[in-house]
Amino acid sequence: MRKAQSSKKFIPNFPHAHYHSYAIENREMVDINPALKLRAEDVLEACQMIGAKSVMDVGSNLGGFLYYLEQFGGFSQLLGIEGDKRFTEECEKVSEKLNSNVEFINKPVMGVNALEQPYDTLLLQNVYHYIYDKEGSHQKIFEKFSGLARSIIWYNPMTADDPVIGAHANSNKDTNWGQYNHKDIFMGAIKAGFLHPIRDRKSRFGGMGSIREHWFFIRDNVIPIQKKFLSISDVSGDFVNVADHYSTIHYVKMNDKRSFKIFHGAHTGLAEIVVRLVDMGVIDATLCPDLQFILNESGEVVGYSQPRGLEISHVSVDNGAGDLIDKINLQRWKIFSRMLRHNVFSHDLGDHNFVLLADNSIPAMIDLENFVFDASKSKALSVYRKNPDKNEYLSAEANLKLFFGDVHVDLEGFNSISVMQVLLHESKFLNGIRLNGIL
């Protein structure tokens, strides 16, 4: 006769488990702390949203998130990184009681080597401020994360004003907490190769303080363009009408397979800017597949060509307007992040400081030197000429709004250079991106 399995509960033994507490009974988690359960449910939802199958939890404590995920199946690898040996030793007992395949490493995350096959996602749940206290550099930390995972599911304090920092994460007298804020955290991540983070607008943990927020960080995958060149004498096709003032800047031809955009003589420098943006990785093969540069008789770049239907910002509407908006937003997301990474907003790309803006047909160039940003007339970002005699809206404003969305900020005291810092965490165009299966 088979011996009946004991129903005696096993309670992991650690006095500082806080909200990580739970018990084990009949190889299942029971008596899960309500706060742990709520956040574990959100972690599960986030993993499903981005298609993550392998998960690394940094600062895994008693492994509650990972054991919870394992109960639902569908995960190929679950690994906890924990610097306190007392936690990992207790998790060995928990894994035995649960018959679990979750693994743990007793090591600070900064001591974990980059992986040949990074995990799909890395959980950072109320732990980042401890790492920053020891390292003092956002970029250094995110460069480490970039070698460990393709994305980050984030829930951490976003300002040094959070009381947990003063109480628990302020051991290094040399740490510059003045740089612990949205702008500096995001720029560290972007410089390390992540896209601008997208906020998950959950508000279930308002009681823990509004300054702790949910964000997704997705590692950028830049696929360099192998530059190809085409002689202007080989350009063929029919002329296409170019709307508004663009007709004075360039002309367009199209045949059955490709489109060709050639700049007029006084504006050929714009083609060189596109070349530089390609060299910088702002424009890559995911945005402009099979891009070819057009050379004139003197060997100068005067335009470019792309396959029909694959032009930058051109997408099919066969799957409905929702997919159209999502795909355009994905393109803007990448371009915006890469421009921030390379300081394009104040980068000398030639004789002028230009920014590439993708409208719904053809890229347009806006010269930042000739514009100021003024929010005094409306809540949305408006663009005016510096010349007070021509205090008029420009056609560029539509492109800016399309690219950046309505930016609800007080721009008093900002100029065209520092506006980048405002857009860094106030851009609204990211809201429409769907992350389903993005990994």
Side-chain angles (χ1 to χ4, degrees):
M1 178 181 291
R2 179 178 296 177
K3 186 177 180 180
Q5 186 176 5
S6 172
S7 61
K8 184 179 179 180
K9 288 183 182 179
F10 171 78
I11 301 175
N13 179 28
F14 195 80
H16 303 296
H18 303 301
Y19 66 84
H20 287 271
S21 62
Y22 57 87
I24 308 297
E25 187 174 31
N26 295 329
R27 297 197 183 280
E28 292 184 357
M29 294 178 74
V30 297
D31 299 338
I32 303 173
N33 183 292
L36 170 61
K37 191 171 188 296
L38 275 174
R39 287 180 50 191
E41 288 172 350
D42 284 339
V43 166
L44 174 63
E45 180 184 339
C47 288
Q48 293 170 338
M49 187 178 298
I50 62 178
K53 300 298 183 183
S54 56
V55 181
M56 175 186 292
D57 185 8
V58 174
S60 52
N61 200 282
L62 287 174
F65 292 135
L66 299 176
Y67 291 131
Y68 187 86
L69 294 179
E70 187 179 41
Q71 291 184 145
F72 290 87
F75 291 93
S76 59
Q77 288 180 288
L78 297 168
L79 175 67
I81 306 296
E82 176 54 60
D84 191 325
K85 189 176 182 179
R86 295 172 294 178
F87 285 113
T88 54
E89 287 179 344
E90 195 66 16
C91 283
E92 291 178 6
K93 302 174 187 177
V94 173
S95 292
E96 183 179 351
K97 297 290 183 181
L98 285 172
N99 193 25
S100 170
N101 292 317
V102 176
E103 298 179 343
F104 296 90
I105 295 177
N106 175 218
K107 183 182 290 188
V109 66
M110 298 303 288
V112 179
N113 294 329
L115 304 173
E116 185 175 342
Q117 292 292 331
Y119 278 66
D120 288 338
T121 197
L122 183 150
L123 302 184
L124 274 182
Q125 301 285 301
N126 213 24
V127 71
Y128 181 80
H129 44 295
Y130 295 103
I131 304 172
Y132 179 75
D133 188 33
K134 290 183 171 60
E135 301 298 330
S137 168
H138 299 299
Q139 184 171 342
K140 178 182 178 182
I141 296 170
F142 278 96
E143 284 172 350
K144 170 60 69 174
F145 293 163
S146 180
L148 301 178
R150 300 162 61 199
S151 68
I152 298 170
I153 298 173
W154 170 286
Y155 174 73
N156 294 278
M158 297 301 294
T159 168
D161 295 332
D162 191 301
V164 73
I165 290 178
H168 302 292
N170 197 17
S171 61
N172 185 352
K173 62 181 178 60
D174 296 323
T175 301
N176 182 357
W177 290 104
Q179 294 182 352
Y180 194 93
N181 52 62
H182 287 85
K183 180 176 74 68
D184 289 307
I185 292 171
F186 291 176
M187 277 305 300
I190 292 167
K191 291 289 187 182
F194 287 87
L195 296 168
H196 186 291
I198 295 178
R199 187 168 183 179
D200 182 0
R201 299 188 177 278
K202 295 184 184 301
S203 58
R204 297 171 67 172
F205 306 110
M208 300 180 73
S210 60
I211 48 181
R212 301 186 194 178
E213 300 167 354
H214 292 266
W215 293 88
F216 289 105
F217 293 76
I218 308 295
R219 195 176 66 182
D220 196 5
N221 182 25
V222 178
I223 302 177
I225 291 176
Q226 301 299 317
K227 282 187 285 191
K228 301 177 183 178
F229 299 94
L230 171 72
S231 172
I232 195 168
S233 61
D234 294 326
V235 172
S236 62
D238 299 324
F239 282 99
V240 178
N241 289 331
V242 178
D244 302 326
H245 67 286
Y246 293 118
S247 61
T248 64
I249 299 174
H250 63 261
Y251 65 93
V252 173
K253 279 189 172 184
M254 290 186 181
N255 57 34
D256 291 340
K257 296 182 177 180
R258 301 189 68 87
S259 63
F260 307 89
K261 178 168 145 182
I262 300 97
F263 294 96
H264 297 302
H267 299 283
T268 54
L270 297 178
E272 181 60 29
I273 292 172
V274 177
V275 174
R276 296 190 189 189
L277 290 170
V278 167
D279 290 340
M280 295 165 68
V282 173
I283 299 176
D284 75 336
T286 66
L287 296 176
C288 293
D290 195 20
L291 180 70
Q292 297 178 10
F293 290 104
I294 301 170
L295 303 178
N296 64 12
E297 294 81 357
S298 302
E300 300 169 320
V301 176
V302 294
Y304 54 86
S305 170
Q306 294 177 264
R308 288 287 301 273
L310 294 179
E311 294 93 339
I312 188 168
S313 293
H314 181 96
V315 294
S316 169
V317 297
D318 293 344
N319 296 323
D323 291 334
L324 170 68
I325 294 171
D326 291 340
K327 186 166 183 180
I328 290 178
N329 278 347
L330 282 168
Q331 292 178 333
R332 295 182 200 141
W333 184 28
K334 291 182 177 181
I335 291 174
F336 180 65
S337 302
R338 293 167 183 175
M339 292 197 311
L340 290 172
R341 184 174 304 137
H342 294 283
N343 296 321
V344 172
F345 284 91
S346 58
H347 193 287
D348 182 10
L349 292 175
D351 295 332
H352 303 283
N353 292 330
F354 282 96
V355 170
L356 178 76
L357 302 174
D359 61 15
N360 61 1
S361 56
I362 303 171
M365 300 294 177
I366 307 302
D367 182 354
L368 286 184
E369 297 252 306
N370 292 332
F371 294 83
V372 292
F373 298 85
D374 184 357
S376 62
K377 299 295 179 66
S378 68
K379 291 183 178 180
L381 184 66
S382 301
V383 184
Y384 295 87
R385 288 193 185 277
K386 282 184 177 180
N387 186 343
D389 296 330
K390 295 184 177 180
N391 192 23
E392 60 187 9
Y393 283 101
L394 304 175
S395 58
E397 182 194 14
N399 287 330
L400 279 169
K401 283 188 176 181
L402 178 64
F403 188 81
F404 294 123
D406 288 342
V407 185
H408 299 280
V409 294
D410 179 6
L411 291 178
E412 183 178 357
F414 288 92
N415 55 40
S416 59
I417 295 176
S418 60
V419 74
M420 177 270 288
Q421 300 171 357
V422 180
L423 293 172
L424 184 58
H425 62 273
E426 294 291 348
S427 299
K428 304 300 180 185
F429 72 87
L430 297 178
N431 295 351
I433 297 177
R434 295 178 185 169
L435 291 175
N436 291 12
I438 200 167
L439 296 182

